[in-house]
Amino acid sequence: MPLHLPPAPAPALRTVLTALGSPTAVREARTPSLLHAQAPATPELPLPVHVLDRLTPAGATATRLAGWRFLIRCGERSVAAADTMLTPDGWAFSRFFEGPYITSTERALRQAESMPQPYQPRLLSVPGLYMLTLWLHGDCTADGAAGRPAATDLLVPLAPAPPGIAAHRPHRVAELLPVLTHRVTPAPLLGSPA
C-alpha cells in the first residue's frame, strides 16, 4: 500500500530550499556528502518529527511536534537530511546532518510501503532512550503535526536502536510502549521504599 505523506508546511520547505541554495549553510553543515555532491540536492519525503516527552505505564502521555525532517536526495540516493523547527517567527531551517538514520529511515519507509494497510508516516523520538522510530499512524487523513500514537499504530525502531530492541521490526504501540516505559523509568535507589 502506498504511504500517505502528510503535507509539510510550505514555509518549512522554503527554508530548506534556501539553505540548500546557500553555499555558507552547506559548508557550515560539515556534511561531506552535500559538500561534494555532483548532482543537484533536492528535499524529499517530508516527515513530521514528534518527541515523546513522557511515558507512563498507561502509554504515551505527551508528544509534541518538534519540527519537520526532509531527506536530501542527490542523484539516486538520500545523502543527508534537513531539519526545520517552529520559532515565534514561523518555520526556520535548523540543520543538515548525515549518519545512519538516513539510510535506516529510507529502509523503514520501503518496508512500510509493502505492508497491506495504508499508513501516514511520521518520526517519533524517544530522547530518554536516544531512540528514533518510524511511527506509522493508521489514520491517513489526520493532521501530521498533531496527535499521539494510537494503540494500533506501528512503531519501527530505526538503526541504531537501543540494546535489546531490534531495529526495523514493526511493533504495535500497545506492545512496545510498555517495554520503553520500563526502560525509561529509573530504578529505585538502594534503600528506598519500593
Side-chain angles (χ1 to χ4, degrees):
M1 278 294 201
L3 295 175
H4 297 272
L5 289 167
L13 176 58
R14 277 195 300 274
T15 66
V16 172
L17 291 169
T18 300
L20 281 171
S22 165
T24 305
V26 171
R27 189 171 45 255
E28 288 178 3
R30 297 190 181 140
T31 55
S33 295
L34 285 178
L35 282 171
H36 305 296
Q38 300 299 314
T42 56
E44 296 181 354
L45 298 171
L47 296 169
V49 180
H50 295 261
V51 175
L52 186 57
D53 286 322
R54 222 167 15 128
L55 280 166
T56 69
T61 58
T63 58
R64 63 180 167 80
L65 179 68
W68 284 79
R69 177 167 295 165
F70 298 80
L71 295 182
I72 307 299
R73 183 172 294 278
C74 287
E76 296 298 314
R77 64 187 188 97
S78 293
V79 298
D83 279 348
T84 62
M85 62 183 180
L86 191 58
T87 69
D89 295 326
W91 287 99
F93 170 76
S94 177
R95 67 186 178 128
F96 289 119
F97 66 94
E98 294 183 27
Y101 285 133
I102 309 301
T103 54
S104 187
T105 300
E106 281 191 308
R107 177 180 169 188
L109 287 167
R110 281 192 308 273
Q111 185 180 354
E113 285 177 340
S114 67
M115 294 180 178
Q117 178 180 341
Y119 288 102
Q120 182 189 80
R122 305 169 176 197
L123 293 172
L124 182 68
S125 172
V126 185
L129 292 175
Y130 301 99
M131 179 179 182
L132 185 64
T133 69
L134 179 65
W135 167 15
L136 298 172
H137 189 53
D139 181 359
C140 295
T141 62
D143 177 1
R148 65 180 191 188
T152 57
D153 288 353
L154 295 178
L155 296 177
V156 181
L158 300 180
I165 297 176
H168 297 287
R169 183 175 171 264
H171 301 269
R172 293 244 175 255
V173 167
E175 297 164 358
L176 186 59
L177 283 187
V179 173
L180 300 182
T181 302
H182 178 71
R183 295 187 79 181
V184 170
T185 304
L189 295 175
L190 291 176
S192 299

